Amino acid sequence: MMRGPRLSLIFPAVLLASCGGGGGSSADHTGGTVVTQPPVTQLRGVVIGGATLVPAAVSAGATLNTVDPVTMRNLVQASVSYGSAVTGTPTCAVTTYTVRYHTLDGMAADTDASTAIMVPSGTDPACQGGRPVMLYAHGTSASKATDMANLAGTEARLMAAMFAAQGYIVVAPNYGGYAGSAMAYHAYLDAEQQANDMIDALRAARSVFGAINATASSRLMVSGYSQGGFVALATQRAMQTKYSGEFKVTAAAPMSGPYALLQFGDAIFNGAPTVGSSAFLPMLINAGQRAGAGLYTSLNDVYEDKYATGIDTLLPGTLGLGDLVAAGKLPNDVLFAADSLPQAAGYASYFGADHLLKTSYRNSYLADLKANPCNTNSSTPLACAPAQPLRKWLLKNDLRTYTPSVPLFLCGGNQDPVVPFANTDAAGAYFRAQAMSSLQLTVLDLDDSALLTDYRNARAEFAAAKALLRLSVISGGGSGSDANKAVADSYHAGLVAPFCMREARNFFDSAPSR
């Protein structure tokens, strides 16, 4: 969900049989010698091959193995919203590597994935000695080729400038299903699988730090944006509740994520879809089906016949969302039939003749929502028992199940059309209801207009950025409605993201060591 459409969101496969394949108790017989393969749990986080240097494209036909601060600033000025005014002036040079590793798929079988590792260097003290590690989860992408080691990508470049060039070692997994992974799908918003993937990426990265001249301090940060915000919180939860002896997280900063996943789904089906729903819902449903949740018997149970065939292999893929719409593979964000009820005020564009989901499927979801309501209070929002398979899957992956024990920074904007800020509000309310200290929990709404709250400067700068975008549209001959549309289209990925990331970095810089 890094980039929300109308519709446009933000290596060869490894044969794992030679590296343990499905793991378990299988044995290889080679030359009379019996070689017993280690179980899958022992393969997790094991590097496949070694770290590979990834040169960065800095101009047409030109690449650099290490991007110096001046070049990084030029790249940022040319391609990142608000440039170094929001990222800060780069201090360190950045060298990027990629590492492939073993992890688990949605059925806990062995598979592979890869991660980028961005290493700072230079003469400034901020670039030397033990550096903090930032484990970063990226936003939704429709492209299987998405690779956070490729600094030509907007999100990868932003992370390099915002964190690596300021002295952080950045570990940014691509997730299973992307960047040449042999995994045939992506486990979208599957909290357990995505947390496992992140943890295994960090294990793999740590094992090669010495070989790539990355010296890590004891400070470990976890962050992510949009889908990555969800993944970051799921990862911090797993590290705290399952792997506390292995990982000591200093602080976490999930941003603009769908943490309250059941509430998010209920709102969509109750008549208030979000930008990108017709892309991310098929990804989410496919992930649940692949994990054995039994969300459908036939794709035609869920989707209109026009879209059912092949939709489970569509995303991520080789075509962008706009191309998929043009090819008739997805509707242009029209989720429900024109006569399907209820319809929330202001959401008429999500209802129409050329829609994705069958009315019978929506009605079954709504019947369960009425019979088994959830989210009735902040302290126990998941004290309910939905029976409809998708609602059960959403409940299973809702992150309101624990209390973070580390400083937590939640950031977003309350006008977000892709991931509503209601997710952040609900997560914050739940954590407060569990008696999480206000000293441990910080929630920033960049669109909060209150004058006496914290982060006044950040909110003023955000307001100015929106005003500047509107002015640029109008001065170019656009109307007021054109200007408002430009802000809405840019809001999630172009406006909120860089400001939240900067404030997350400031939060990390000041977080006490644990």
Side-chain angles (χ1 to χ4, degrees):
M1 289 173 216
M2 176 66 176
R3 295 173 180 83
R6 213 62 183 180
L7 272 164
S8 69
L9 293 180
I10 114 172
F11 309 113
V14 176
L15 297 178
L16 291 181
S18 63
C19 300
S25 59
S26 62
D28 288 343
H29 298 264
T30 306
T33 301
V34 177
V35 181
T36 302
Q37 298 291 355
V40 169
T41 54
Q42 291 183 20
L43 289 173
R44 288 187 55 189
V46 174
V47 170
I48 302 170
T52 303
L53 177 69
V54 182
V58 295
S59 62
T63 62
L64 289 175
N65 289 344
T66 297
V67 182
D68 61 87
V70 173
T71 303
M72 180 66 76
R73 184 179 186 278
N74 292 339
L75 292 175
V76 167
Q77 295 296 89
S79 61
V80 173
S81 299
Y82 318 109
S84 60
V86 69
T87 66
T89 301
T91 299
C92 309
V94 178
T95 309
T96 303
Y97 299 85
T98 188
V99 171
R100 193 167 297 283
Y101 56 91
H102 288 276
T103 189
L104 303 178
D105 68 10
M107 293 292 285
D110 182 43
T111 190
D112 71 314
S114 64
T115 185
I117 308 173
M118 303 175 190
V119 183
S121 62
T123 58
D124 191 285
C127 316
Q128 299 180 331
R131 307 312 311 148
V133 175
M134 212 275 278
L135 180 61
Y136 179 77
H138 70 74
T140 303
S141 175
S143 172
K144 286 178 68 71
T146 294
D147 188 345
M148 289 295 289
N150 179 8
L151 296 193
T154 300
E155 191 171 8
R157 186 171 292 184
L158 181 57
M159 294 310 301
M162 188 76 74
F163 288 93
Q166 301 296 335
Y168 283 79
I169 299 170
V170 176
V171 178
N174 294 313
Y175 309 146
Y178 289 95
S181 167
M183 191 167 158
Y185 70 104
H186 171 50
Y188 189 68
L189 301 180
D190 179 334
E192 182 173 7
Q193 190 283 335
Q194 295 225 258
N196 286 338
D197 196 338
M198 293 282 285
I199 286 168
D200 294 339
L202 181 57
R203 288 168 170 160
R206 285 175 164 180
S207 74
V208 302
F209 277 172
I212 61 176
N213 297 314
T215 303
S217 73
S218 62
R219 291 170 63 79
L220 171 61
M221 317 300 177
V222 180
S223 187
Y225 192 81
S226 195
Q227 173 194 355
F230 173 93
V231 176
L233 191 60
T235 301
Q236 189 277 321
R237 180 181 69 173
M239 287 178 167
Q240 176 179 316
T241 61
K242 296 182 179 180
Y243 305 103
S244 60
E246 183 178 0
F247 301 102
K248 301 298 181 186
V249 177
T250 304
M255 299 171 284
S256 297
Y259 325 109
L261 197 58
L262 179 58
Q263 176 182 290
F264 189 28
D266 285 356
I268 290 171
F269 277 85
N270 212 25
T274 58
V275 170
S277 296
S278 61
F280 71 73
L281 270 177
M283 292 178 73
L284 186 153
I285 290 170
N286 188 40
Q289 186 74 6
R290 295 278 196 150
L295 300 191
Y296 55 80
T297 301
S298 165
L299 288 166
N300 297 86
D301 297 337
V302 181
Y303 305 103
E304 287 294 330
D305 294 346
K306 175 181 178 180
Y307 297 112
T309 302
I311 197 170
D312 56 332
T313 61
L314 202 61
L315 294 165
T318 58
L319 296 178
L321 294 179
D323 295 328
L324 291 172
V325 171
K329 299 293 187 180
L330 285 176
N332 191 19
D333 249 8
V334 180
L335 206 59
F336 302 123
D339 60 353
S340 181
L341 297 174
Q343 299 182 20
Y347 291 86
S349 64
Y350 297 94
F351 296 80
D354 185 22
H355 56 281
L356 182 65
L357 299 183
K358 285 190 170 177
T359 298
S360 57
Y361 184 76
R362 185 192 183 200
N363 288 344
S364 71
Y365 189 108
L366 291 173
D368 190 74
L369 176 58
K370 181 178 180 180
N372 302 295
C374 304
N375 298 293
T376 58
N377 61 75
S378 295
S379 59
T380 56
L382 305 182
C384 54
Q388 198 269 353
L390 178 55
R391 291 193 76 224
K392 290 170 66 175
W393 179 245
L394 294 174
L395 182 145
K396 179 179 179 180
N397 290 284
D398 196 299
L399 299 179
R400 293 170 296 170
T401 60
Y402 81 118
T403 307
S405 61
V406 304
L408 185 71
F409 177 76
L410 300 175
C411 184
N414 67 44
Q415 298 300 307
D416 196 329
V418 179
V419 183
F421 195 75
N423 283 275
T424 300
D425 277 337
Y430 171 78
F431 293 144
R432 292 187 191 98
Q434 312 313 308
M436 186 175 183
S437 166
S438 61
L439 297 176
Q440 290 280 92
L441 175 64
T442 302
V443 178
L444 171 57
D445 174 5
L446 287 170
D447 241 334
D448 181 1
S449 59
L451 297 177
L452 299 179
T453 58
D454 294 332
Y455 295 95
R456 288 186 294 274
N457 290 342
R459 291 184 290 105
E461 290 173 343
F462 180 73
K466 291 194 300 178
L468 182 62
L469 178 55
R470 286 194 176 95
L471 180 61
S472 68
V473 173
I474 291 172
S475 63
S479 65
S481 60
D482 292 333
N484 290 337
K485 184 179 185 302
V487 171
D489 289 347
S490 298
Y491 192 95
H492 181 73
L495 285 165
V496 173
F499 286 98
C500 274
M501 289 180 185
R502 184 189 66 186
E503 298 309 318
R505 187 185 68 205
N506 293 338
F507 182 78
F508 288 156
D509 287 346
S510 62
S513 296
R514 302 181 72 236

